[in-house]
Amino acid sequence: MIAQSPDKKLKFIGDIEQMAQELLESENLPSNTLDSYYLESSFQTQEIQHFFTDFHSPIRPLQNPSYQRFCTITHPTKIRRPKHIKSVQSLAKVLHSIVHIEYSAIDLALDAIYRFRHLPLQYYRDWLIVALQEANHFRLLLDSLHSLGYEYGDFSVHSQLFDAQSATQDFRDRMALLHRGLEANGLDANPFVTAKIKAFEHDSTPQILKALEIILHDEIEHVRKGDFWWRYANTKTSPEDFITILQNFKQFHPVPKILNLEARLQAGFSTEELECLTHLYSTNS
């Protein structure tokens, strides 16, 4: 159990901050560190109810993506993903792009913990759990990538999620663009990626498909958390308010062509919002 003295509380807050910052800057893949920290910190106990409300240490600005040490970063338009999977290499390229998204999502969740202060305990619980689940997704997909004979970093990546993260230092914008907007795009993409991979017969295909099934299930809950905290940050949450934020950050292409309506409804979107998003895409395309 965590001691109740103010000094112990502040030390624990410092540990949380240090964990987030160290993992964001680490040269190592962070998933195992996250697991051990979560278990050792007793983060799920009520003793830390006020830990994050008294923390006033400076918040460091974002500098560079943590993966720059082992990935070649290029512009998104220069990355060519196979439309159809016809070889192990093309399967690896598709899988590598998802591995990169899941790795980036670990950083997004950690930064949400680190960067935004004086919020309810449940907020920090939510995003630490998200970070752990994203780490699990990353491990599952990385295992499949290894089974194909490839490593994370073997193909070029883009930094769009990191750039969107850097551009949203406001809590309201962060929840809307990243955790309710771009993360929901993963719900839309999942069925198409699943169908593409299913069409290529390989020993690793069942393992990859199982991982994608787990990811879709978990990501619905992640978007629901983003939906909850976006609504928490706003006095009003009309579809127009959400659309306005997406349009303010349209350089990150937050509205996909085809929406996964069922998954988005489960994640907290209303029918009216989905109609507005569909209309927005049709007018911008």
Side-chain angles (χ1 to χ4, degrees):
M1 301 292 285
I2 299 172
Q4 292 295 297
S5 70
D7 288 344
K8 291 289 186 180
K9 288 181 180 180
L10 290 174
K11 182 181 183 303
F12 184 75
I13 295 169
D15 288 343
I16 289 287
E17 180 203 31
Q18 183 178 358
M19 174 203 73
Q21 192 62 33
E22 285 182 356
L23 292 182
L24 287 170
E25 296 177 351
S26 175
E27 295 185 16
N28 299 315
L29 304 183
S31 55
N32 291 335
T33 308
L34 271 174
D35 287 341
S36 62
Y37 192 92
Y38 185 73
L39 294 172
E40 292 169 5
S41 69
S42 300
F43 194 83
Q44 298 179 83
T45 64
Q46 288 295 327
E47 283 76 5
I48 58 171
Q49 182 68 46
H50 303 292
F51 274 13
F52 291 92
T53 61
D54 302 321
F55 196 31
H56 298 289
S57 67
I59 300 175
R60 304 176 194 176
L62 291 166
Q63 298 294 334
N64 300 296
S66 62
Y67 47 81
Q68 71 169 1
R69 298 175 180 88
F70 46 84
C71 288
T72 300
I73 301 172
T74 189
H75 193 273
T77 58
K78 294 183 178 180
I79 297 176
R80 297 288 182 263
R81 297 188 186 90
K83 291 184 178 180
H84 303 286
I85 298 175
K86 298 181 179 180
S87 66
V88 171
Q89 185 183 58
S90 60
L91 175 59
K93 284 184 177 179
V94 171
L95 187 57
H96 188 276
S97 67
I98 312 171
V99 167
H100 178 60
I101 290 171
E102 296 303 322
Y103 182 91
S104 300
I106 301 170
D107 283 359
L108 291 178
L110 287 175
D111 193 71
I113 296 169
Y114 169 75
R115 196 155 305 280
F116 302 109
R117 307 287 170 79
H118 312 294
L119 292 164
L121 170 67
Q122 189 59 47
Y123 171 81
Y124 302 99
R125 282 181 173 161
D126 279 351
W127 295 111
L128 189 55
I129 290 170
V130 168
L132 288 163
Q133 290 179 333
E134 301 290 14
N136 182 51
H137 302 164
F138 173 75
R139 281 197 303 272
L140 290 172
L141 295 172
L142 187 63
D143 286 346
S144 295
L145 189 63
H146 288 163
S147 73
L148 299 176
Y150 291 86
E151 180 59 82
Y152 180 36
D154 282 351
F155 303 104
S156 296
V157 302
H158 62 74
S159 60
Q160 187 174 38
L161 286 176
F162 175 82
D163 296 338
Q165 179 183 343
S166 300
T168 49
Q169 302 301 291
D170 175 80
F171 178 69
R172 178 174 175 265
D173 289 344
R174 175 70 64 87
M175 292 299 114
L177 178 65
L178 267 301
H179 299 295
R180 199 173 190 265
L182 295 178
E183 187 149 8
N185 290 2
L187 305 181
D188 307 320
N190 190 290
F192 297 99
V193 175
T194 296
K196 183 185 292 189
I197 292 174
K198 189 179 293 185
F200 183 73
E201 293 186 6
H202 188 273
D203 290 345
S204 296
T205 299
Q207 181 183 358
I208 298 170
L209 294 176
K210 180 61 178 177
L212 290 175
E213 181 182 346
I214 292 170
I215 289 170
L216 179 61
H217 175 272
D218 290 348
E219 297 293 350
I220 289 173
E221 186 60 34
H222 297 177
V223 177
R224 188 182 291 124
K225 285 178 168 61
D227 176 74
F228 178 88
W229 292 109
W230 178 70
R231 295 180 188 282
Y232 175 88
N234 292 271
T235 54
K236 60 175 183 175
T237 54
S238 70
E240 292 74 20
D241 296 320
F242 181 61
I243 294 295
T244 296
I245 293 176
L246 297 188
Q247 289 179 312
N248 288 341
F249 296 98
K250 61 183 178 181
Q251 68 270 31
F252 299 113
H253 307 289
V255 183
K257 182 178 180 179
I258 300 176
L259 304 177
N260 186 338
L261 299 179
E262 180 181 354
R264 281 183 177 257
L265 287 170
Q266 291 179 49
F269 285 83
S270 67
T271 302
E272 184 182 3
E273 279 182 307
L274 298 180
E275 291 173 354
C276 289
L277 287 170
T278 302
H279 176 71
L280 179 62
Y281 176 82
S282 64
T283 56
N284 289 345
S285 60

